[in-house]
Amino acid sequence: MKKLFGVLIFAAIAAFSAFAEIAFGGWVRTLPTFVGSDGEDIKTSATAVSWGEHFWSRFDATWISDDGKAGLSMRLNADANGVNTHDDVGIWLKPFDMLKIQIGWHENFGELRGDLCYGSWDWLRPSTIVIEDEGITFSSAPNKQGLGLEITPTESLKIVILTPLENALQRGDYGFGETCVEAAYTFGEIATVKAGFFGEYTKDNVEGDSKKYGRIEGAFDLIGIEKLFVTAGAAFRLASSDYWKGNALTGANKINELYMLKAALGASYGITDALKLTASFAALLFNKDVANDPAMVFGVGANYALSDELGLVADIRMLMPNNDKDSTLSFMMGLDAAVNSNASLGLGFQGVVGLGEKATPGTLQIVEAVGNDKFVWAVPIKAELTF
């Protein structure tokens, strides 16, 4: 299906190019690591990325008609296994100014996601990042193939609707059960308020009956104070009691899947032209069948420009997982040097440690955590290119 979709995309490109404005862009980040430790043994020579599994590069291309009423967007991810269409591939049409229709794969469609990305999120991501920096206070519609509508009745109001489409017809309630509706209203240059319903779907493996549930989310972004950004959000999962049956927090990786209520807060502030601080916090409550106490994650990060070409980045993050395990702490420090306006080269040191006999420190992608309170560390080199 993806190969067929790719053929159709390239056919559309050929037809489109005669009357369109064409733009290309790309992004590559790789983190080769020559030394690290799993807490017991020294490990050497590994490769990793800070996003996905094996994707190393991302290529974007857009085609926009001369009148701005139609376009084509294509994102390709490439690694040693080949080239794949993913994240954002589709055609869009604007029959009139306030309506944009897009068909294809959507990633962050409508651009309402509440991001607060810093520190180790852009290096090797440790197990303490349970609530993703991308969407920490407000989710985006899921990355799926579907039909998207972006409606802008005024400059201040945006409404986004996305309904997934599968490769084959499903039960009649499937697509509607995963439909997402988001809205954002901006008060001048002061603040933005967001609200959304994110449909979710699961299938009972025992009875074979479909179940529909979802999340209601809301967020507030303060944007009106110079050098300061504050974001706060909450999410509440709607589900019948059957959804929680048989589920338990057997590992930190299940926290995102099983929370019932999430409250998150983040802020960044440029203290000087050279120094920027960022902090994030999230608390999660669970259904009583899953856990009785909340889980919490928080982090603090700093970026400091030593010069126009050299920058220092650091962060500390902690996870209190609420699965009868102790807390886990991670930290990192790195130097980023600009090679030119498009490329940078960095060197970092990252570590994860479990704070107690019951802790599970997890991995830094390239080394395996062995035992409970072991100290896992790595020395990655970060090479990044944009164009």
Side-chain angles (χ1 to χ4, degrees), residues 58 64 96:
R58 176 175 287 172
I64 302 175
F96 45 91

Side-chain angles (χ1 to χ4, degrees), residues 273-275 303-313 333-337:
D273 291 339
L275 177 61
N303 292 77
Y304 185 75
L306 299 171
S307 67
D308 291 340
E309 294 80 24
L310 187 63
L312 175 67
V313 58
M333 180 175 290
L335 281 171
D336 265 320

Side-chain angles (χ1 to χ4, degrees), residues 132-330:
E132 292 187 345
D133 292 3
E134 291 179 350
I136 185 171
T137 56
F138 193 76
S139 302
S140 63
N143 175 22
K144 291 189 176 182
Q145 182 181 197
L147 169 66
L149 304 177
E150 185 178 305
I151 307 165
T152 51
T154 69
E155 291 184 359
S156 300
L157 177 63
K158 178 186 287 190
I159 301 169
V160 175
I161 303 171
L162 178 62
T163 297
L165 301 171
E166 286 297 296
N167 294 338
L169 290 174
Q170 305 290 319
R171 284 180 46 153
D173 60 357
Y174 175 78
F176 299 109
E178 288 210 341
T179 294
C180 299
V181 181
E182 306 167 81
Y185 188 84
T186 301
F187 297 89
E189 298 180 355
I190 301 173
T192 299
V193 176
K194 306 174 189 176
F197 172 78
F198 299 85
E200 298 174 340
Y201 172 93
T202 188
K203 188 171 183 179
D204 192 307
N205 292 327
V206 178
E207 299 176 359
D209 294 330
S210 64
K211 302 173 184 176
K212 296 189 296 294
Y213 59 99
R215 301 186 316 279
I216 295 175
E217 298 196 15
F220 173 84
D221 294 343
L222 179 65
I223 57 177
I225 301 177
E226 187 178 2
K227 296 184 179 181
L228 175 67
F229 173 70
V230 178
T231 180
F236 179 71
R237 177 166 279 129
L238 305 170
S240 66
S241 59
D242 292 339
Y243 169 69
W244 310 107
K245 289 181 179 178
N247 285 317
L249 289 181
T250 56
N253 61 324
K254 280 200 169 185
I255 289 179
N256 266 344
E257 301 173 19
L258 297 178
Y259 74 80
M260 186 172 66
L261 175 65
K262 176 185 78 170
L265 176 67
S268 63
Y269 181 62
I271 296 179
T272 67
D273 291 339
L275 177 61
K276 178 181 177 181
L277 299 181
T278 305
S280 59
F281 171 83
L284 299 101
L285 299 176
F286 302 90
N287 180 278
K288 63 181 180 179
D289 294 328
V290 176
N292 293 319
D293 300 313
M296 288 181 284
V297 292
F298 65 86
V300 178
N303 292 77
Y304 185 75
L306 299 171
S307 67
D308 291 340
E309 294 80 24
L310 187 63
L312 175 67
V313 58
D315 80 7
I316 298 175
R317 298 179 186 245
M318 179 175 284
L319 164 65
M320 291 169 279
N322 181 24
N323 56 352
D324 295 326
K325 302 290 184 180
D326 295 310
S327 299
T328 300
L329 180 73
S330 73

